[in-house]
Amino acid sequence: DTIVQSLTDGIDHLFRGRKITALQGEAEFVDSKRLLVLGKNGSRQEIEADSYLIATGSEPIPLPDLPFDERQIVSSTG
């Protein structure tokens, strides 16, 4: 957790220094410059920019007969 927090804080610092806004949630393009972002808390935000960087991230998916117990069967998060 400490390492993940350190890396996340480092990226946030780099973004702020370069005036980059990071948004989290699901998004869809309204047109070539506008993006509608649906936040995890139910918020809706439409933004407009000339350029976007989309980082999709990942979510571990367990196999049906091998659920993650984070002891013997570890996910990328664990």
Side-chain angles (χ1 to χ4, degrees):
D1 287 343
T2 302
I3 293 169
V4 170
Q5 188 63 52
S6 175
L7 292 171
T8 302
D9 291 346
I11 290 170
D12 286 343
H13 176 75
L14 291 171
F15 276 21
R16 281 193 305 275
R18 289 166 178 77
K19 298 181 182 175
I20 297 171
T21 302
L23 302 172
Q24 293 184 0
E26 294 185 18
E28 64 182 58
F29 281 98
V30 176
D31 59 35
S32 63
K33 293 193 178 225
R34 292 184 302 148
L35 189 69
L36 175 63
V37 181
L38 306 173
K40 293 182 179 182
N41 61 358
S43 64
R44 295 173 57 91
Q45 182 178 5
E46 189 171 305
I47 59 172
E48 184 172 336
D50 291 326
S51 301
Y52 293 96
L53 172 66
I54 300 172
T56 60
S58 66
E59 187 172 321
I61 299 173
L63 297 171
D65 295 330
L66 295 171
F68 299 124
D69 62 11
E70 304 303 352
R71 297 180 73 188
Q72 291 184 320
I73 302 172
V74 183
S75 69
S76 59
T77 303

